[in-house]
Every structure is written in C-alpha cells, then in structure tokens.
Amino acid sequence: MPESQILLVENEESVASFIYTELSFEGYTVEVAYDGEEALRKFSADENNWDLILLDWMLPKLDGLEVCRRIRKKSHVPIIILTARDQIGDKVAGLDGGADDYMTKPFEIEELLARVRVGLRHKKNLEKQSDRMVFHFEDLTVNLEKRSVERAGKIFYLTQREFDLLTVLIKHQRKVMTREQLLSEVWGYDFMGQTNIVDVYIRYLRNKIDRGQEHPLIQTVRGVGYSLDLMKAEDE
C-alpha cells in the first residue's frame, strides 16, 4: 500500500508527538500543525495530496470546527475530529460542520489507528469509481467528478458523507437499500460509530434535497431501509 499523507492538527505538543510517532510507525507520512491558521496554510500548500486530517477542536488562533468548515468548502478529504468535548451537541456540531468521524479524548491509540484505516479505505474506494461520472434521477443530478449535486436548477452543498450516501442511492435508484448495505458501502463494514448513523444522515439529506419539494425522492421502506424513488414514503 502506498504511503498515505496525513495532516495532524494538535496544539498539545506531547499529544501531537505521541500520535505522530504511532502514525509514522504504521507507515503514514505525517505533518503536524499546532494551531488553526497553520493547519489551513499547510492544507492549502498541498491541497490535493492530503489523504486524511486528524483535527483537534480546541486550537489557538482558529478553532478546529472553523478549520473543518473552511477545508470542507474546498475538499472532501476525510476529517476526524479529536476533542475532549463529549456532549451530544458537540458531536452533532462537528458532524454538521463537515467532519466524517468524531473521537473524544482520552482514547486508545488502537481505536484511532482503526478509524484512520477506515477513513483511508473509504477514500480509496471512492476513487475506484466507474467510468460513468454523472447520474440523473428525475430532476436530480449527481456529478461524481465535480462532486456536485443539483436539483431543479438549485445547487446543494453536501458534506463528504452526505454526498457518498446520495451517490449510493442514485447508483441503485428505485432499489431498496438496507441500512446494513448503506452502512457497509458508505462507512465501511467495520465502522465503529453509532448504529443509527444511516438514519441521521438520511435526515440530513432530506433536509437539503427534499425540503420544500413537491415530490420527495428519498423514500423510507418500513423495516427494511431506504430508496431513491417516487413512491409515497411510509412513515417511520
């Protein structure tokens, strides 16, 4: 496996040194930034070559959540937030801000390394796209190359995970996808996050592409999963 390039953003030098050593031992190429502004500078200097970002929330100069939001406007690189903030509201804010995963401190290094592997594997899987790069369903268009989403002339901004979930649904349009299938294809079969994560992100997608629309496209099939179809959605 070729070396993956990871940007580690952590203001505590002892923590940064420990994580840097462990990642390097695993064969990853790692650069460290110690504050939010430095993180953005290093990201911009090598924007297209980062494979994953480990991002502390509580940073000097610019906090990690703002760094995450700014990076997400330019890139779909996997971002894992590392923080001592463990309230559910903080986790929701982190995921809504564009993070792909969220780990609370203190954590076991083995779990961090496992989540890094999941993030990197997911990125590589996305890069193995078929030759078909543009998918249409009714008035919805998903462009894989540009990673853009448009419906009825309106362009939508989606986080990486939202985009990946919608991509799976539109590739399998009119077919019911179980929660287990979606979890495997979008998050990886060994995802270690919350079990209701599929339902959470389906809700995020609906709030964006179906809100205010006469004909919702994302349908719930009770007891099974979800589909991209024009059938009348069942109540969950």
Side-chain angles (χ1 to χ4, degrees), residues 19-36:
I19 297 176
Y20 175 91
T21 299
E22 293 293 330
L23 291 172
S24 298
F25 182 78
E26 294 294 318
Y28 302 120
T29 299
V30 186
E31 284 197 40
V32 181
Y34 295 97
D35 63 62

Side-chain angles (χ1 to χ4, degrees), residues 39-192:
L40 289 177
R41 286 196 301 271
K42 289 197 171 185
F43 169 78
S44 297
D46 204 11
E47 187 172 314
N48 296 320
N49 292 320
W50 297 111
D51 295 299
L52 185 136
I53 297 175
L54 295 174
L55 179 62
D56 187 24
W57 188 321
M58 305 301 291
L59 294 170
K61 299 184 180 180
L62 199 65
D63 70 59
L65 187 57
E66 181 60 27
V67 172
C68 182
R69 288 170 176 153
R70 295 190 188 187
I71 289 176
R72 198 47 87 222
K73 290 179 180 179
K74 300 180 179 180
S75 170
H76 294 280
V77 60
I79 298 175
I80 302 176
I81 285 184
L82 310 176
T83 179
R85 304 174 66 145
D86 60 356
Q87 298 299 308
I88 187 63
D90 296 324
K91 294 180 180 180
V92 170
L95 294 171
D96 282 348
D100 299 283
D101 203 351
Y102 189 107
M103 289 193 67
T104 54
K105 299 177 180 178
F107 49 76
E108 297 294 333
I109 190 63
E110 290 81 6
E111 182 179 357
L112 175 62
L113 293 174
R115 295 200 185 202
V116 166
R117 290 193 294 271
V118 169
L120 292 172
R121 182 164 58 248
H122 180 66
K123 180 176 184 292
K124 292 181 186 299
N125 288 339
L126 290 178
E127 291 170 351
K128 297 176 181 178
Q129 299 287 358
S130 64
D131 292 337
R132 184 178 178 188
M133 300 302 289
V134 181
F135 289 81
H136 301 279
F137 181 75
E138 297 297 322
D139 57 353
L140 176 69
T141 300
V142 176
N143 188 310
L144 302 187
E145 183 176 19
K146 297 180 179 179
R147 295 191 70 83
S148 63
V149 176
E150 182 176 335
R151 183 175 184 191
K154 181 179 179 181
I155 297 174
F156 294 89
Y157 167 74
L158 302 184
T159 67
Q160 175 175 324
R161 204 67 84 184
E162 291 167 352
F163 183 87
D164 297 343
L165 179 56
L166 183 59
T167 297
V168 172
L169 290 173
I170 202 168
K171 282 184 174 181
H172 300 280
Q173 54 189 263
R174 301 189 187 279
K175 174 183 177 182
V176 179
M177 300 292 289
T178 68
R179 288 173 175 84
E180 291 73 20
Q181 288 173 318
L182 293 171
L183 191 65
S184 176
E185 291 203 33
V186 178
W187 282 268
Y189 73 93
D190 54 356
F191 176 72
M192 294 174 289

